[in-house]
Amino acid sequence: MQRRYDPEQQFEQQFEKVFRDLRNRFHGFKGWRMVAGLVGAFVLIFLWSTWFTVQPEETGIIQRFGAVHRTVGPGLHFKFPDGIETVRMVPTARVLKEEFGFRTAVSGGQRTQLDDRGNKEVSLMLTGDLNVIDVKWIVQYRIEDPIHFLFWVRNTQQTIRDISESVMRRVVGNRLGSDVLTVARVAVSTEVREEMQKILSEYQAGVRLVTVELQDVTPPDPVKPAFNEVNEARQDRERSINQAQEQANREIPKARGEASRAISEAEGYALERVNRATGEATRFRAILDQYKKAPDVTRRRLYLEAVGAILPGAKSLYIVDSDQKAMVPWLSMESGKTPEAEGRKP
């Protein structure tokens, strides 16, 4: 069965052997106690560098004579003394942040303030319509591969800053300043994050971006008053357009409804008149056919039908004589009354 190599156990055995040899060599020497004390102090200092503690959010990278030998997780670990093995801690479980255009400052334990003094050369950018805007943003990332983070790219933190600034300037330079200031902030953040991650993956930097977020996008301080006036004018214009659109959305359907109702009524009236005329014409043709077959009978029937339709509404019947000046009631159509001649005394 093959024995497993344990560097810590081998180091302890070698140390015990060296200590026994030194003790046997200086046993007969008169000042061996002083030498033993010095050796013991040296050994304690030497042993102090053989153990280390890795915090829960860190990963330890152990280098033996400069070359990466192994990685260790959180907890207490041992290694060869300094000069043989060294350890470097990498915060792999922590979300790291880079700030651009400002620096977070905390004074006296009070709330965080943004200090942008001396950072204008980073935040001032030229947009696609040749306007200058002040862009402040943050980049949050995790260390995905600690070995690549430490050794594959020189000064990975500065590389992230350079890539972020370069990509942000290019993305902002391809857009209108008004869009970056208003509606395109999320789109700019997303595009910058995707392009940064692509470049970092090509560099094998061992970094995974969490988010890119625009903190504050404003015009430069000298033009802020003019920009605010323009922005207010644009807001007034948008408000007027919205109000006009609202009124149009209210009046146009109303007018269309009234037009549809008038058209429907006209169509209904036209259909009614056409149908009525068609019915009258059909009735007239039927009467005409009967009249052609029996003219006298048909004429008399029409006369009786007309008299039957008129007389029920008549109250009195008058006979008009051309030689008489006044009308004389001839027959009263009201029941229970007898007609009297005009001028007749009771």
Side-chain angles (χ1 to χ4, degrees), residues 131-146:
N131 288 322
V132 178
I133 59 175
D134 191 358
V135 182
K136 300 179 179 65
W137 76 99
I138 61 172
V139 175
Q140 293 180 334
Y141 63 94
R142 289 179 180 271
I143 299 176
E144 198 173 51
D145 190 329

Side-chain angles (χ1 to χ4, degrees), residues 60-104:
I61 308 298
I62 298 177
Q63 298 175 251
R64 179 175 296 178
F65 298 112
V68 177
H69 184 259
R70 64 186 185 277
T71 62
V72 294
L76 181 63
H77 301 276
F78 292 91
K79 65 178 181 62
F80 286 117
D82 291 343
I84 301 176
E85 287 185 346
T86 57
V87 60
R88 298 179 66 174
M89 304 298 179
V90 181
T92 54
R94 186 190 310 166
V95 177
L96 305 177
K97 180 175 68 173
E98 293 294 332
E99 299 172 341
F100 298 86
F102 68 98
R103 287 291 180 270
T104 303

Side-chain angles (χ1 to χ4, degrees), residues 166-175 180 187-189 191-192 195:
S166 175
V167 174
M168 182 64 74
R169 290 187 180 278
R170 190 188 65 79
V171 172
V172 171
N174 290 335
R175 294 179 179 270
V180 179
V188 169
S189 300
E191 186 175 354
V192 171
E195 293 199 15

